[in-house]
Amino acid sequence: MANELDGFNFEQRHGKARVRVARVWRNKSDHIHSMVEWCVSISLLSDCVNSYVRDDNSDIVATDTMKNTVYVKAKECSEQLSAENFAILLARHFTSFYKQVTTAIVKIVEKPWERVHINGQPHEHGFKLGSEKHTAEVTVQKSGVLKLTSGIEGLSVLKTTKSGFEGFIRDQYTALPETRERMLATEVTALWRYSYESASSIPKNPLYFTERYLDVKKSLANTFFGPPKEGVYSASVQSTLFQMAKAVLNRFPDISFIQLKMPNIHFLPVNISSKDNTIVKFNDDVFLPTDEPHGSIEASLSRFWSKM
């Protein structure tokens, strides 16, 4: 929050970071348990300048209070809800309950606990830890204006064929050979912005954004891999990234912007040779996996009417 003080521009915010909370819901009718584990970070823009310049803390919302609010609001959620909805709930609380708070920013990272299946049957109360994480960030102003983003961190994908890299600039420093046959691997980080501009305009289904997250993840993966038998050819990570981003915007009309970061995690062909003969000859079969250094590729795609 910006202020003019003694001829200077002064901006400040405060909050509580990495508040870890787990919530379990127990359905008494069918004995099925559901659970989430969230890491919540809160940042408040508020009128508490006096705490900085006059040693007056009377307008500060204590960060310990923010932490406790996370636990209380989680307790009050008697039915399962998405990380996005919980972030909105928290942000609306801070902007409505405290007159000093003008804007609340809440970010949640959901740990990927997945239901266990035993002999093909879903377990009533057993879970295992997955890989990629679901992220959500919401900004709510006192006026009710909403900005909502969701994302994926750590979506690792790999295909052993249907990938190449040709026709790039060659100069005296270029050693990379051209190829139409290589492994392609990356760890996708995705961030997408929804078009909803107020909390009242979001869908009423409390798990809508959880379902949308799973659908977006599926769309990204399906576009990367292609059909299960024939696959789809990738001319470059750049080309595949664009097709993945476009697939999301084409399928989901309430998403106005998407950003993808896709490092090219290399699997280098292994050839071992001595002075007299070749010990190992590469034939698209033996690779050296390495993630350092790696190619860094990122881009964003938005609709013309997006505010991004």
Side-chain angles (χ1 to χ4, degrees):
M1 188 172 181
N3 297 87
E4 195 171 311
L5 294 172
D6 300 329
F8 300 98
N9 288 322
F10 177 63
E11 295 187 6
Q12 55 81 23
R13 64 177 64 184
H14 74 290
K16 198 73 166 181
R18 299 186 62 80
V19 180
R20 296 179 62 181
V21 57
R23 180 62 160 98
V24 176
W25 293 273
R26 296 175 170 87
N27 191 319
K28 294 181 180 179
S29 61
D30 60 12
H31 307 292
I32 299 295
H33 295 187
S34 300
M35 66 86 64
V36 292
E37 181 183 342
W38 290 324
C39 184
V40 182
S41 295
I42 301 161
S43 185
L44 301 184
L45 282 65
S46 62
D47 184 12
C48 62
V49 175
N50 286 340
S51 65
Y52 292 88
V53 300
R54 294 189 175 88
D55 297 336
D56 179 359
N57 297 331
S58 59
D59 289 324
I60 285 185
V61 181
T63 64
D64 189 68
T65 302
M66 299 181 205
K67 176 200 69 177
N68 293 340
T69 301
V70 172
Y71 300 132
V72 172
K73 293 302 178 183
K75 174 71 173 179
E76 291 176 355
C77 293
S78 58
E79 294 186 1
Q80 192 176 359
L81 75 169
S82 69
E84 288 84 354
N85 283 84
F86 189 62
I88 292 170
L89 184 155
L90 287 172
R92 293 182 73 186
H93 166 80
F94 288 117
T95 54
S96 63
F97 192 76
Y98 300 102
K99 68 181 188 328
Q100 298 88 345
V101 176
T102 59
T103 302
I105 304 166
V106 179
K107 181 175 181 180
I108 296 178
V109 179
E110 182 172 323
K111 209 163 186 178
W113 290 105
E114 303 170 350
R115 190 174 301 279
V116 169
H117 286 69
I118 305 296
N119 298 326
Q121 297 296 315
H123 200 282
E124 289 186 353
H125 55 265
F127 298 84
K128 64 183 178 67
L129 193 60
S131 53
E132 66 277 353
K133 296 178 180 178
H134 175 185
T135 65
E137 181 171 323
V138 61
T139 300
V140 173
Q141 299 178 15
K142 192 176 286 291
S143 63
V145 173
L146 170 78
K147 186 167 69 173
L148 175 62
T149 58
S150 298
I152 294 173
E153 293 179 355
L155 176 60
S156 296
V157 289
L158 176 154
K159 57 184 184 182
T160 56
T161 189
K162 295 284 185 175
S163 174
F165 191 50
E166 306 175 276
F168 49 87
I169 294 173
R170 305 199 70 88
D171 56 36
Q172 66 269 35
Y173 304 117
T174 304
L176 184 69
E178 297 189 0
T179 182
R180 287 190 60 84
E181 179 59 51
R182 66 172 183 171
M183 290 179 67
L184 179 61
T186 186
E187 185 178 282
V188 180
T189 300
L191 183 72
W192 57 90
R193 169 75 40 81
Y194 289 99
S195 55
Y196 306 107
E197 296 184 348
S198 67
S200 61
S201 67
I202 66 173
K204 301 305 179 186
N205 176 4
L207 290 176
Y208 175 84
F209 294 109
T210 299
E211 294 166 1
R212 178 63 89 232
Y213 164 79
L214 294 173
D215 288 340
V216 170
K217 182 172 72 168
K218 183 178 179 181
S219 179
L220 292 171
N222 287 355
T223 308
F224 178 88
F225 293 114
K229 291 192 178 295
E230 61 268 29
V232 62
Y233 182 73
S234 171
S236 64
V237 178
Q238 287 85 344
S239 173
T240 297
L241 182 154
F242 178 73
Q243 294 302 323
M244 291 165 68
K246 188 170 70 169
V248 170
L249 291 191
N250 283 342
R251 182 176 175 189
F252 306 110
D254 59 348
I255 294 177
S256 60
F257 165 92
I258 184 168
Q259 179 189 65
L260 293 176
K261 298 180 180 180
M262 293 173 51
N264 191 359
I265 300 174
H266 301 295
F267 283 73
L268 306 178
V270 172
N271 284 304
I272 302 176
S273 60
S274 65
K275 184 177 180 180
D276 300 323
N277 64 324
T278 298
I279 302 171
V280 173
K281 177 66 174 175
F282 177 69
N283 189 27
D284 296 324
D285 51 5
V286 179
F287 300 83
L288 171 63
T290 178
D291 56 6
E292 293 181 355
H294 62 247
S296 177
I297 296 97
E298 60 182 89
S300 63
L301 195 65
S302 61
R303 306 185 194 280
F304 284 116
W305 49 263
S306 172
K307 293 183 179 180
M308 292 299 296

